[in-house]
Amino acid sequence: IQCMKNKYNINYSFLLLIAFSLISGVYKEVFILLFCLFFHELGHILFALIFRINIKKIELHAYGIIANMDIDNSSKIRKFFVYSAGIIFNCILLLLIDNYEFDLFNKMLILFNVLFIYPLDGYHIIYSLLENDINDLKIFKISIYISIFMILVLFVASIYTKTVAL
């Protein structure tokens, strides 16, 4: 479903997520997760608007909300703040809403997004700081090594804690 000259896009996977959450009875958890994701993406969008970065499209998917921006020609500091804004907004939401489920989803989003794994915010934050100092191939290789290391750490932690949630 697309509207307003293709500026906003709702993927069918998002509609399926809503339908399945209503059928299965986990709609409250899905609503909380979507609200946290919306607030996270709102941070990126607000900082992009502050820095006058063009927002090409906002998409709703089953795995989240994505704001596609023309950020490539922006300065390091602007990129850093735009990419960090989602995490900052999730931290603000932790302070504003004192609810176990909101806290849980926010902490998961913060932890997930600080990972140095493409295409997460942590990757973009580090990349924006290194992009003019190190060539793209080296940054990509570094991100692959760190991503593999972090995935192994999460795997070991999930075995240690006897949970597959990680």
Side-chain angles (χ1 to χ4, degrees):
I1 300 170
Q2 296 182 359
C3 59
M4 295 186 71
K5 297 181 183 176
N6 296 329
K7 188 100 173 173
Y8 307 99
N9 183 18
I10 300 174
N11 190 285
Y12 290 109
S13 64
F14 179 79
L15 299 174
L16 285 173
L17 172 71
I18 299 300
F20 285 128
S21 71
L22 292 171
I23 292 168
S24 66
V26 295
Y27 54 88
K28 179 182 174 187
E29 292 83 358
V30 170
F31 170 77
I32 291 171
L33 177 61
L34 290 174
F35 181 80
C36 294
L37 288 168
F38 169 78
F39 206 74
H40 174 95
E41 211 58 37
L42 182 64
H44 294 304
I45 293 167
L46 287 178
F47 272 72
L49 292 174
I50 288 168
F51 292 129
R52 297 176 191 210
I53 296 170
N54 181 38
I55 299 168
K56 296 187 286 189
K57 186 186 285 189
I58 298 172
E59 300 175 274
L60 299 175
H61 292 271
Y63 53 84
I65 303 166
I66 301 170
N68 295 316
M69 299 172 257
D70 286 327
I71 197 166
D72 292 338
N73 295 326
S74 298
S75 68
K76 277 183 172 185
I77 194 74
R78 287 181 179 202
K79 287 180 185 179
F80 174 80
F81 279 114
V82 170
Y83 290 131
S84 299
I87 297 167
I88 292 167
F89 268 54
N90 282 122
C91 291
I92 292 170
L93 195 57
L94 276 174
L95 299 173
L96 294 176
I97 298 178
D98 185 24
N99 177 285
Y100 173 76
E101 289 172 322
F102 271 95
D103 287 354
L104 179 65
F105 283 114
N106 264 316
K107 288 176 184 175
M108 286 182 354
L109 280 174
I110 292 167
L111 175 66
F112 187 68
N113 275 290
V114 296
L115 295 176
F116 186 53
I117 300 172
Y118 180 83
L120 302 176
D121 292 340
Y123 171 84
H124 288 293
I125 291 166
I126 300 299
Y127 184 87
S128 67
L129 295 174
L130 298 176
E131 70 179 329
N132 294 333
D133 302 327
I134 302 175
N135 70 37
D136 288 345
L137 183 60
K138 284 185 181 177
I139 294 173
F140 183 72
K141 285 181 180 179
I142 291 168
S143 75
I144 293 297
Y145 295 135
I146 293 174
S147 297
I148 291 170
F149 174 75
M150 294 178 117
I151 289 169
L152 289 173
V153 168
L154 289 174
F155 177 71
V156 170
S158 68
I159 291 172
Y160 179 75
T161 59
K162 298 178 183 169
T163 178
V164 293
L166 289 175

